[in-house]
Amino acid sequence: MTAGLACGSAAAQPPAVRPPAAAPNSPAAASVSATQAITDARPSPDGSALTTAASGSPRALTVTVHSAAMNSPIRLEVLPAPDPSRPAPTMYLLNGIDGGADGNWINRTDTAQFFADKQVNVVVPFGGASSYFTDWRADDPVLGRQRWTTFLTGELPPIIDSGFGGNGTNAIIGISMAGTSVFQLALAAPGLYRAIGSYSGCARTSDPAGQLIVDAVVGGGRGNTVNMWGPPTDPAWAANDPYLHADRLRGTAIYVSTGTGIPGPLDTLDGPGIRSSPAKLADQILVGGALETGAVRCTRELRTRLTELAIPATLDMRPTGTHSWGYWQEDLHRSWPVFAQALGV
C-alpha cells in the first residue's frame, strides 16, 4: 500500500480522545456527535470549514462544509464511527451522475446498517451532478464553478479528520460517473487513498468512445465539456484519463466491479427499488442494461491495461446485472474485505 498522505490531510493534528457516547443509533448519540463535530472541526487555512451539523437519517449526521474553492456550501451525510473514543479511518462514498439528488448511498442501500459495527467514518458528499468530481478549467453557465478535486482531496479530509476523529487513513468508492472519478482523484492526490473502488464505471475517457461517454454524462446535466477539459483535442483529456496513467496507481488497492447489462437476479418486479412497478423495471432493464454494457466494455479494457502493467487489482465481473443500486449494494458487501485490509480495520 502507498504510505503517506497528500493535499493537506497529513497535516491534521492527532485527534483528541473523546469520552464514550450514547448508543450510536440513539438520537442522543447523533446530537452529541453533531456538537462534537462543530466544536472539534478545524477550518482550513483557505477558509473551508464545517459550518453546520445536525441529526439526519438513522446514524447519519447532515453536515455542511463551506468549500473555499467553489465558494459554496457542500452538503454531506456522515456516518460517524461507532466508538468516538478511538480514531477511525474514513471511507468516502461518491454518488453518480445526479450527485445524489435522485438516489444515493444513504437512501438506496443499507450503507448505514452495514457500517454500524465497523470502526470507520463514512462520508457521502452531495452535489456535483454531471461534474465528474473534477476541477473544471472554467465556470460553466449551467453547472457553475466545479472544483471537486480540490474540495475532496484538499479541503475536506482535514476537516473530517479533526471533526470526526479521523486517523488520516482514507479510501474512496464511486458508482457510475464517480467510478471514473475515484481513479482521477487517486492520481491527483497520491497516497491520500489506501484503496479505491469503482462500481460500473469507465476509466478510459480520452479515446473516442470515452469522450462520447463523458460528453453524454456532462451534457445530461446541460454542462459543456469544453469548460471542463477543453475541446476534444486538448491535452487535458489525456491528462485526466486514468487508463493512460494507470501505472501511477501502483501500490493502491483497487477494486473494480461491473455486470454485463443482461438482466440478473435483482432485475425483477420484487427487486430493490422496483416496488412492483413495470415502468421502473423496464427502465432498469433497458436503460440500466445499456449503461452496464458500456461499463463492462470499459472494465475489460482496464483489466487488459492493468495486466500489461502487472498492477494487482480485484475485478469482479458478474455474468449478469444492470446499472442499478441493488448490485452496487452487493458490490459494497463483496468488496469490503479489500477495504477493511487497506484501512486496517
Side-chain angles (χ1 to χ4, degrees):
M1 302 302 169
T2 304
L5 296 176
C7 297
S9 58
Q13 298 299 314
V17 176
R18 296 167 172 166
N25 292 318
S26 70
S31 298
V32 170
S33 296
T35 302
Q36 288 177 338
I38 292 174
T39 301
D40 296 346
R42 291 188 292 274
S44 300
D46 64 4
S48 299
L50 190 156
T51 56
T52 67
S55 300
S57 56
R59 279 206 69 235
L61 299 178
T62 300
V63 172
T64 303
V65 171
H66 172 75
S67 166
M70 290 186 275
N71 192 27
S72 177
I74 305 298
R75 173 194 161 202
L76 313 165
E77 292 290 309
V78 180
L79 302 170
D83 183 356
S85 68
R86 292 190 293 128
T90 301
M91 173 75 83
Y92 292 91
L93 301 179
L94 300 185
N95 294 307
I97 186 174
D98 63 0
D102 188 45
N104 58 76
W105 285 101
I106 299 297
N107 69 12
R108 296 296 294 273
T109 74
D110 66 351
T111 294
Q113 294 80 12
F114 182 71
F115 282 100
D117 62 347
K118 297 171 176 61
Q119 187 61 13
V120 177
N121 292 318
V122 178
V123 179
V124 183
F126 284 71
S130 298
S131 72
Y132 273 94
F133 296 110
T134 192
D135 282 0
W136 288 39
R137 62 169 49 178
D139 293 352
D140 188 84
V142 175
L143 299 180
R145 180 164 298 177
Q146 307 292 333
R147 299 288 188 275
W148 284 94
T149 298
T150 296
F151 176 69
L152 291 170
T153 66
E155 296 176 336
L156 184 60
I159 293 172
I160 294 297
D161 282 348
S162 60
F164 294 92
N167 65 7
T169 302
N170 307 284
I172 190 167
I173 294 172
I175 56 101
S176 192
M177 175 190 80
T180 305
S181 306
V182 294
F183 291 107
Q184 295 166 334
L185 291 165
L187 291 169
L192 179 60
Y193 308 110
R194 295 281 184 88
I196 57 176
S198 173
Y199 305 162
S200 301
C202 185
R204 196 169 189 177
T205 57
S206 65
D207 69 320
Q211 288 188 332
L212 284 174
I213 293 172
V214 174
D215 283 338
V217 169
V218 174
R222 296 186 296 119
N224 188 337
T225 54
V226 172
N227 295 319
M228 185 169 72
W229 294 330
T233 55
D234 194 290
W237 283 84
N240 285 280
D241 189 335
Y243 176 90
L244 297 179
H245 305 287
D247 58 304
R248 290 160 47 196
L249 295 170
R250 195 180 308 277
T252 302
I254 301 171
Y255 190 100
V256 181
S257 64
T258 182
T260 59
I262 299 171
L266 303 184
D267 302 302
T268 61
L269 283 173
D270 60 354
I274 300 299
R275 301 186 183 89
S276 301
S277 168
K280 288 183 178 179
L281 178 59
D283 179 75
Q284 183 162 301
I285 290 176
L286 296 175
V287 178
L291 291 172
E292 203 69 359
T293 299
V296 72
R297 177 193 62 80
C298 291
T299 301
R300 289 179 181 133
E301 292 179 346
L302 179 63
R303 178 180 60 185
T304 300
R305 176 72 168 158
L306 294 176
T307 300
E308 291 172 348
L309 295 171
I311 294 178
T314 301
L315 287 95
D316 185 2
M317 302 172 70
R318 301 182 301 273
T320 61
T322 57
H323 205 76
S324 50
W325 281 105
Y327 294 104
W328 297 330
Q329 175 175 293
E330 287 190 346
D331 291 337
L332 178 63
H333 290 219
R334 289 157 71 109
S335 64
W336 173 244
V338 172
F339 289 94
Q341 181 179 12
L343 294 172
V345 296

